[in-house]
């Protein structure tokens, strides 16, 4: 599904060049649950942005479903982001004036053709445990409930890949574990999940942990080994 080979990413900061990623290579197969882990500044969020087609590498290859992403134009990249990849962020990014249901329905307005409808959106909210909160606005929901809405929204277009960038970062420990159990349930249902975190307790839910430091992959751990 995903093949990353020799990926590098450099930024200019004044006259200095900063290499955020250095010769990163790995594969991720369909239906895997993979955590990308590292301290602040390790390059994990930069890598996530490239995997999510939100940024382009400076060099190297990123193939998604057999297609070289560097060869896609902006319209094609936008279609991939909308159709193939679902995003979950630390800060939820819900629209405050919309209900939980309307927030989940929002991506369907931009999908051509839509991958679901209101019945599908309601089923997703039921799946994440919010069947009695569909009409609630974000300010009427707890942090964990808002993240559940965000997860349902990320799934509404039936993406092949779910990308989660520090999804428990704004939650207390109990709620964090509830959200991670939900990710585990989604994975058992066949969802491919790639999760960025700096927390060992969160990464432990994944099948593999890609450990990064200073822009490089330093180790890949397989759960149970």
């Amino acid at each position: 599904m995903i093949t990353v080979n020799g990926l590098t990413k450099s930024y200019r900061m004044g006259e200095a060049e900063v290499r955020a990623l250095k010769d990163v290579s790995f594969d991720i197969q369909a239906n895997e649950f993979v955590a990308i882990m590292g301290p602040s500044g390790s390059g994990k969020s930069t890598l996530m942005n490239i995997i999510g087609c939100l940024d382009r590498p400076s060099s190297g290859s990123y193939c998604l479903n057999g297609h070289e992403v560097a060869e896609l134009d902006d319209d094609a990249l936008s279609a991939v982001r909308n159709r193939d990849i679902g995003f979950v962020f630390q800060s939820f990014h819900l629209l405050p004036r919309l209900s939980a249901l309307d927030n989940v329905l929002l991506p369907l307005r931009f999908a051509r053709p839509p991958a679901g409808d209101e019945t599908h959106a309601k089923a997703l909210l039921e799946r994440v445990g919010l069947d009695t909160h569909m009409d609630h606005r974000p300010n009427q929901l707890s942090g964990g409930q808002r993240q559940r809405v965000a997860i349902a929204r990320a799934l509404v277009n039936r993406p092949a890949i779910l990308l989660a960038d520090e999804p428990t970062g704004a939650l207390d420990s109990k709620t964090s574990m509830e959200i991670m159990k939900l990710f585990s349930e989604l994975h058992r249902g066949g969802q491919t999940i790639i999760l960025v975190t700096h927390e060992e307790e969160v990464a432990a839910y994944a099948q593999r942990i890609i450990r990064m430091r200073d822009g490089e992959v330093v180790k890949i751990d397989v759960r149970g080994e």
Side-chain angles (χ1 to χ4, degrees):
M1 173 172 277
I2 288 175
T3 300
V4 169
N5 187 28
L7 213 64
T8 68
K9 180 65 180 182
S10 299
Y11 298 97
R12 299 296 304 182
M13 295 187 66
E15 296 183 0
E17 182 180 71
V18 177
R19 295 187 69 192
L21 296 177
K22 307 169 187 174
D23 195 28
V24 171
S25 300
F26 57 81
D27 295 327
I28 296 176
Q29 304 303 319
N31 308 130
E32 272 200 283
F33 188 169
V34 176
I36 300 172
M37 188 175 181
S40 178
S42 64
K44 60 186 187 298
S45 291
T46 299
L47 179 59
M48 177 70 90
N49 286 339
I50 292 173
I51 292 173
C53 299
L54 298 171
D55 198 2
R56 294 179 183 266
S58 301
S59 63
S61 173
Y62 167 34
C63 286
L64 176 61
N65 295 325
H67 300 287
E68 178 58 60
V69 173
E71 298 176 357
L72 302 179
D73 61 21
D74 289 342
D75 288 342
L77 285 173
S78 179
V80 167
R81 288 192 297 267
N82 193 274
R83 180 186 64 244
D84 298 329
I85 301 173
F87 296 90
V88 179
F89 301 98
Q90 176 178 337
S91 54
F92 319 133
H93 293 321
L94 302 179
L95 295 185
R97 295 187 179 182
L98 297 184
S99 67
L101 178 58
D102 286 336
N103 267 286
V104 174
L105 286 168
L106 198 59
L108 297 179
R109 299 179 181 177
F110 302 98
R112 296 291 183 271
D117 53 19
E118 185 169 320
T119 300
H120 175 52
K122 288 180 177 179
L124 285 172
L125 283 169
E126 291 174 2
R127 186 176 183 184
V128 301
L130 292 178
D131 50 305
T132 61
H133 293 72
M134 294 188 189
D135 294 329
H136 288 55
R137 293 185 179 183
N139 65 356
Q140 298 172 306
L141 301 171
S142 68
Q145 289 169 333
R146 290 197 293 272
Q147 192 60 290
R148 289 172 184 270
V149 174
I151 292 170
R153 180 187 58 192
L155 294 170
V156 75
N157 275 332
R158 295 182 172 89
I161 301 167
L162 184 62
L163 297 184
D165 192 357
E166 299 282 4
T168 63
L171 306 175
D172 60 63
S173 57
K174 179 178 181 293
T175 307
S176 295
M177 294 307 102
E178 291 173 354
I179 291 298
M180 290 313 302
K181 288 178 182 176
L182 175 57
F183 278 118
S184 292
E185 291 170 8
L186 292 171
H187 172 243
R188 287 194 295 271
Q191 182 68 52
T192 304
I193 300 174
I194 305 172
L195 179 147
V196 162
T197 184
H198 65 277
E199 300 180 68
E200 288 283 354
E201 298 87 349
V202 171
Y205 283 83
Q207 295 171 294
R208 288 195 295 151
I209 303 174
I210 299 172
R211 297 185 182 274
M212 299 189 66
R213 183 174 294 275
D214 298 328
E216 298 179 285
V217 174
V218 294
K219 188 179 181 183
I220 298 179
D221 292 333
V222 180
R223 194 169 66 182
E225 294 187 359

